Amino acid sequence: MIVMKFGGTSVGGADEIRNVAEIVKSNLVRKPVVVVSAVKKITDRLIELANLAKEGNGNEVFSAIKNVHHGILEELRLEKNLLDNDFNELQKAVKSVNGKMPDAKTLDLFQSFGERMSSKIVAAQLSKSGMEAQAFNAFDLGLITTSDFGNAEPLEEAFSNLDNRIKKMKFIPVITGFIGKTREGEITTLGRGGSDYTAGIVGAAINASEIQIWTDVDGIMSADPKIIENARTLTQVSFAEASEIAYFGAKVLHPKTIIPAMEKNIPVRVLNTFNPKGNGTLILNEVEKTKQTVKAITSKRNITLIHVNSKRMLGAYGFLARLFDVFYKYKQSVDVVSTSEVSVSMTTDNSKNVEDIASDLKGIADVKISKNKAVICVVGEGMRNTPGVSGRTFSVLGKNKINIEMISQGASEINITFVVDGKDAENAVK
Ligand code: ASP
Ligand code: MG
C-alpha cells in the first residue's frame, strides 16, 4: 500500500481534480490510500468566516465558499447535493458563534469543513472515473488526538485504529488531511499545512511502502527559486536533511510529516501533480553518497532573536533550566539556540509571547529582543567530517558585508545555521 496525499492546489479546481483521479488510477497496483487537503484557499476563508460570524456578517464569505464547491461539483458533473450536509452544518456553526470571539476549538471546527468537503469531491470523482472509492473523515477511522486545538498531536492508539480500519477496506479510502478528534469527540486540527502530517501518520499506521506528497512543485529544491534562478530539484535527501530544510525553508513539506515516516523507515516522495512524470524528491533514511557537501540553502524570515545575558550563569547550574522553563510556561518553541558562558541567543518564529517571556526573565537576566531577523540554513550530509565548509560560508558573507548575529551547528553536523538581519536574507542566500 502507498499513501498519496494531494495538497490544496492539486485539488484546486475541476481540472485539477480530474488530473488527481488519473494519477491515482495509474497507481492502482500499489493499492493507494488517498489523503487530501481542502480546496485551495478554503481554509483561509473558513477562518475568515469564523471571525466575521462574530459580527454577524459572514454571509458573503459563506456564499463564496459554497460557490467554489458548487462550481467544482457542477464542472465535474457530480451529484449537486453531495455537500449539502456540510453546508448545513457549517451554517449551524456560524449561528453558534453568535457574537462570541471564536476560540481555538471553534476555529478548528470551522476549518475542518474544508477537508470534509474536498474528500467527498475527490472520492466521487474517483468513482466516476471507474475506481471504487469512499470518502472518510480521518476521525471516523480512529485518528484521535490531544486537545491542543490548532496544533493537535495524534495519540498512540490512533495508529492501530487507522491500521485496523484501513487494512480491511476493499476500495480506495479518500481521507481528510489536517483534522482529528479528541477522545471527547471534539474536532481538532494538526496545524496549518497539516495534511502532510496526516499522510505521515496514516503511512506509518498502515506501514505503507511509500508516502507520496503530491504538490505543485517538482520536489524539494536546493534553494528558493525566487531567490536563486538556477535552483535545482534534489533527487534524494535524507530524513535529517529534509527536517532541516522543511523547517527552515520552503513550505514544500510540513516539517512534522517525516517524523512518523522516519520512525518506521518509510520512504517519502515529494511529487508534482502538474508534472506527474517527474521523479520528484525521494526522502530516505540513508541516501546515496554524492560529492556535494552542501545540498541546500534555505531561509526563513520574520524571525525573532532573543539575547539573554546573565552574569549569574557563570559557573552556575540550573540557569538554562530556569530560562527554558519560562519558554515552556508560554508554550513558546525555540528553534535555534547558541550559548556562551554568560549569554544565550535563541530564535523563535513568532513574537507572540516574547514580551511576556522577557518580563518573566527580568529577575534573572537582561533580555534583548530583535524582530525581523532571518534564519539561514546551509544543509548537507556531506558536511559531516568535511573541513572548511563553515570557513567558506562565513568568508563569503564577510566579503559581502553581511553581519551575522548568531551562529549554530547542530549535533548531527549536517547544518550550519545563522541569523542575519531580514534585509540581508536574500543576499546571504545568494
Ligand atoms: N487545509 C489545511 C491548510 O490550509 C491543511 C493543508 O492544506 O495541509 O492549512
Ligand atoms: Mg496545504
Side-chain angles (χ1 to χ4, degrees), residues 164-219:
N164 290 334
R165 294 294 306 274
I166 296 172
K167 282 259 162 77
K168 287 195 199 106
M169 293 179 182
K170 298 262 180 287
F171 43 77
I172 305 170
V174 180
I175 306 172
T176 55
F178 183 49
I179 62 177
K181 251 184 192 176
T182 63
R183 274 212 188 97
E184 290 70 39
E186 291 163 322
I187 292 181
T188 54
T189 66
L190 309 178
R192 291 306 303 272
S195 297
D196 289 353
Y197 192 22
T198 305
I201 294 164
V202 170
I206 62 173
N207 219 338
S209 57
E210 185 169 286
I211 298 166
Q212 300 182 341
I213 305 293
W214 289 86
T215 175
D216 54 3
V217 291
D218 279 333

Side-chain angles (χ1 to χ4, degrees), residues 361-400:
L361 286 171
K362 248 192 206 116
I364 57 167
D366 295 330
V367 180
K368 195 181 132 211
I369 296 167
S370 343
K371 294 185 185 166
N372 294 321
K373 301 294 169 190
V375 172
I376 315 287
C377 198
V378 179
V379 187
E381 292 273 2
M383 282 162 61
R384 213 186 327 237
N385 307 320
T386 307
V389 181
S390 45
R392 281 171 64 194
T393 307
F394 294 124
S395 65
V396 163
L397 293 165
K399 263 189 216 139
N400 287 277

Side-chain angles (χ1 to χ4, degrees), residues 5 7-9 37 193-196:
K5 180 264 171 178
T9 324
S37 288
S195 297
D196 289 353

Side-chain angles (χ1 to χ4, degrees), residues 246-290:
Y247 194 78
F248 288 118
K251 290 207 179 94
V252 185
L253 190 68
H254 190 285
K256 284 182 187 167
T257 315
I258 44 185
I259 301 170
M262 200 158 69
E263 276 165 9
K264 292 232 169 148
N265 199 11
I266 300 170
V268 176
R269 200 185 280 275
V270 181
L271 292 148
N272 188 353
T273 37
F274 304 103
N275 177 22
K277 296 236 155 67
N279 292 323
T281 301
L282 186 58
I283 310 169
L284 295 164
N285 213 344
E286 270 182 52
V287 293
E288 287 160 19
K289 286 246 177 321
T290 55

Side-chain angles (χ1 to χ4, degrees), residues 27-320:
N27 279 283
L28 280 183
V29 287
R30 300 182 76 187
K31 294 209 181 128
V33 170
V34 176
V35 173
V36 289
S37 288
V39 171
K40 183 174 150 189
K41 301 238 167 74
I42 291 299
T43 310
D44 291 337
R45 294 230 135 147
L46 288 163
I47 296 172
E48 204 185 335
L49 178 63
N51 289 316
L52 288 171
K54 179 184 145 253
E55 280 123 41
N57 48 16
N59 285 343
E60 224 172 276
V61 179
F62 184 84
S63 305
I65 294 171
K66 208 166 160 176
N67 289 342
V68 168
H69 290 89
H70 270 157
I72 295 176
L73 289 177
E74 206 172 307
E75 248 190 88
L76 292 173
R77 290 180 212 287
L78 298 172
E79 176 103 45
K80 254 210 265 97
N81 313 328
L82 185 69
L83 306 173
D84 282 4
N85 247 333
D86 296 284
F87 292 133
N88 289 339
E89 271 195 56
L90 181 57
Q91 189 80 69
K92 263 192 240 154
V94 170
K95 288 220 178 80
S96 72
V97 169
N98 197 11
K100 291 185 302 264
M101 183 72 177
D103 56 8
K105 183 153 86 177
T106 309
L107 285 172
D108 278 3
L109 171 66
F110 272 80
Q111 291 176 76
S112 73
F113 286 96
E115 275 72 7
R116 288 157 75 180
M117 295 193 284
S118 64
S119 56
K120 292 189 184 97
I121 299 178
V122 171
Q125 182 60 26
L126 294 189
S127 305
K128 197 161 179 243
S129 316
M131 293 168 267
E132 270 182 83
Q134 198 176 321
F136 287 97
N137 294 317
F139 46 75
D140 293 327
L141 300 178
L143 208 178
I144 16 176
T145 70
T146 60
S147 54
D148 296 300
F149 297 98
N151 199 18
E153 287 290 338
L155 297 179
E156 201 45 54
E157 66 223 68
F159 292 86
S160 51
N161 289 347
L162 286 163
D163 187 35
N164 290 334
R165 294 294 306 274
I166 296 172
K167 282 259 162 77
K168 287 195 199 106
M169 293 179 182
K170 298 262 180 287
F171 43 77
I172 305 170
V174 180
I175 306 172
T176 55
F178 183 49
I179 62 177
K181 251 184 192 176
T182 63
R183 274 212 188 97
E184 290 70 39
E186 291 163 322
I187 292 181
T188 54
T189 66
L190 309 178
R192 291 306 303 272
S195 297
D196 289 353
Y197 192 22
T198 305
I201 294 164
V202 170
I206 62 173
N207 219 338
S209 57
E210 185 169 286
I211 298 166
Q212 300 182 341
I213 305 293
W214 289 86
T215 175
D216 54 3
V217 291
D218 279 333
I220 298 181
M221 308 218 40
S222 57
D224 181 348
K226 282 190 215 100
I227 304 177
I228 305 293
E229 238 172 71
N230 56 352
R232 289 171 300 106
T233 306
L234 300 168
T235 337
Q236 284 197 357
V237 300
S238 69
F239 283 124
E241 289 170 332
S243 332
E244 301 284 353
I245 298 171
Y247 194 78
F248 288 118
K251 290 207 179 94
V252 185
L253 190 68
H254 190 285
K256 284 182 187 167
T257 315
I258 44 185
I259 301 170
M262 200 158 69
E263 276 165 9
K264 292 232 169 148
N265 199 11
I266 300 170
V268 176
R269 200 185 280 275
V270 181
L271 292 148
N272 188 353
T273 37
F274 304 103
N275 177 22
K277 296 236 155 67
N279 292 323
T281 301
L282 186 58
I283 310 169
L284 295 164
N285 213 344
E286 270 182 52
V287 293
E288 287 160 19
K289 286 246 177 321
T290 55
K291 274 194 235 114
Q292 235 173 351
T293 41
V294 173
K295 259 195 201 161
I297 301 179
T298 67
S299 59
K300 189 171 186 174
R301 289 158 170 279
N302 293 320
I303 296 292
T304 301
L305 180 60
I306 306 161
H307 288 299
V308 177
N309 236 295
S310 174
K311 297 241 161 19
R312 285 187 227 177
M313 210 170 127
L314 203 64
Y317 59 86
F319 179 80
L320 290 175

